Amino acid sequence: MAFPLLFFFFFFLSYAAFASPSPSSSPFTEKAALIRYWNRKIPNNLPHPAFLVSKLTPLSASDATTFFNLAASDPSLLSSHLASFCSAAGLLCPTDLTPSLSSYPPDSDFAAYQNSNFTNYGTKSADGLSSFKNYSDGLNVPLDTFRRYGRDSAGHDDKFSFYAPDGNVVTANFTSYGTNTAGGTDGFTSYDESSNVPDLKFNNYAAEGTGREGVFTQYSDNTNAGDQAFNSYGKNGNGATSDFSSYANNSNVIGSTFTHYGEEGNGVNDTFASYGDNGNVPENNFRSYGDGTNGGVDKFTSYRDQSNVGDNFFTSYEKGGNVGTADFTNYGNSFNPGSDNFKGYGQGSFNDQITFKEYFADNTSFTVYAKTGVDFKEYHNTSSSSIPTASAVDTKSAVENKKKQDLAKRFVEPGKFFRERSLKKGTVMPMPDIRDRMPPRSFLPRSISGKIPFSAASVDGIFHILPDTAMGKAVDSTLADCKRAPSHGETKRCAASAEDMIDFAVAVLGNDIEVRSTANTTGSKGNILVGDVRGVNGGKVTESVSCHQSLFPYLVYYCHSVPRVRVYVADILAVDTKEKINQGVAICHLDTSDWSPTHGAFVALGPGPGKIEVCHWIFEGDMTWTVADHA
């Protein structure tokens, strides 16, 4: 059994606030109608849990009729009523960019801005300082465009502190920073740090500068599951100094493209300190570092150091240079080897002094490098080593085990997976971050959701989701995951309404069922003490239906049957006071034989598929259905 990727990645759009009346407030709301449907399908008179009731549609009967008539006539008609539809139904809808803001005077001190189309800041400034501190901090799905910061300035200092950190499903475009400047300094501290599902583009940082000092400290460090591109850093510089400290370090499943760093510079001093270090399954593509430079110094310190697998392409370092110095310190010293392809080191250079200190890789291709004038200090390739002795094998095994333990600490959050024996009163264990990172949304009634074609073209068109954005890509991913064939032994359905979810759970488990989730998030990211533990249905091996949120303008849940599990309800206590702070729901998968050997559970727990059971908490926002426990 394999969990869908979207179970780990969380999302999405700014939303219209809405009130959710209790089902008892009026019998004529769509929520009340859904409660009646629930009672007919599951007639066991068990309470309706608040965590699921809160997700039911807030539509009044009259509003539901209005939007149903539109959808039934032509679903695209909902698009022309999007603002009222999103507000009344509690949906997630994109925030349009505000009109362009342009031509701010030099020496401005701009403290904060959000979700904006920003055209010019500090253009043609002379002397002085322009400072921009915070742009779209901590937003959920910022959609930002920033054009021309500090262009054509002379002797002017520009600083930009934070651009869209801590965002969720970020689409960001930065077009030009410090282009065609003379003298002065450029400082960019942090671009999209700690973002979730980023889709980032940055063009032209300190390009065509003369005697300019450019420093870029952090670009998308600590980000999760997205794509990013950086085009042109210090290109065509003259006597300039460029320093890039950190790009995509400590990121998870990121696709990165970096092109044109210090290309065709004259007498420049360029340093790139760290690219993709400590990444998990990165896809890195770096093209053109210092190509066509004349004189000057280029240094690249570390490329994907201590990363875990992934694919890497580095094309062209100091190609066609003239009388320069190039130094590459460390390439591909991975934690777990990935595939590495390095093409074109010092190719066609003339009178350059080129040094490559260390190149680490097992699955490598290093082609087209200068045959003379290049000094390789060390090349590490374990596949070319001699046959190891028995003691060497034992040593290698110990090293590999240590690697697995280190990998678990780095890439699998403590407590995310655990063994069944941990669910014992008195156990102290870490709890992962079980908070729901998605913003609130509601289900649509099936009468409306069933009229909206389940396709990217229809959903993007109706909800004004722009092409080539993080939001659009995430919707595509949801649809692909919903439409893929089930895994071996899996029964699955994407529930686009609460009625769909109830029907699927009843079809799998029968009509005497109940649904559970962990009560709250208290205890997350810290140690907890396990209190009283109760096995659902006497702790017998059973089947459940687990439902995980997916990215969509309205609630869509990926629901799948999970055979051969045990479900537990556990009191969660504070370690110091022994007071109850939460009630957790945990599910233990007893048959893991079809799971991938690289699943995070085996990274954290060992030893591999089919050899151990794996347990995890039900996170906030997710749920599991089981046969009702009337004990």
Side-chain angles (χ1 to χ4, degrees), residues 290-295 318-324 346-352:
D291 288 2
T293 57
N294 181 49
E318 198 72 15
K319 181 179 180 180
N322 180 48
V323 197
Q347 182 186 11
S349 61
F350 182 74
N351 290 330
D352 282 349

Side-chain angles (χ1 to χ4, degrees), residues 471-485:
M471 296 171 289
K473 291 176 181 178
V475 168
D476 290 344
S477 180
T478 292
L479 291 166
D481 202 53
C482 288
K483 293 177 180 179
R484 70 163 176 82

Side-chain angles (χ1 to χ4, degrees), residues 67-91:
F67 296 122
F68 165 75
N69 289 334
L70 287 170
S73 173
D74 180 356
S76 66
L77 293 176
L78 292 169
S79 178
S80 58
H81 299 78
L82 189 62
S84 59
F85 183 40
C86 290
S87 177
L91 309 183

Side-chain angles (χ1 to χ4, degrees), residues 64 67-78 85 444-455 458-459 462-463 496-497 500 554:
F67 296 122
F68 165 75
N69 289 334
L70 287 170
S73 173
D74 180 356
S76 66
L77 293 176
L78 292 169
F85 183 40
L444 280 175
R446 184 155 61 186
S447 59
I448 298 175
S449 66
K451 300 298 182 183
I452 299 174
F454 209 52
S455 70
S458 295
V459 172
I462 291 170
F463 292 97
S497 68
D500 290 348
Y554 48 94

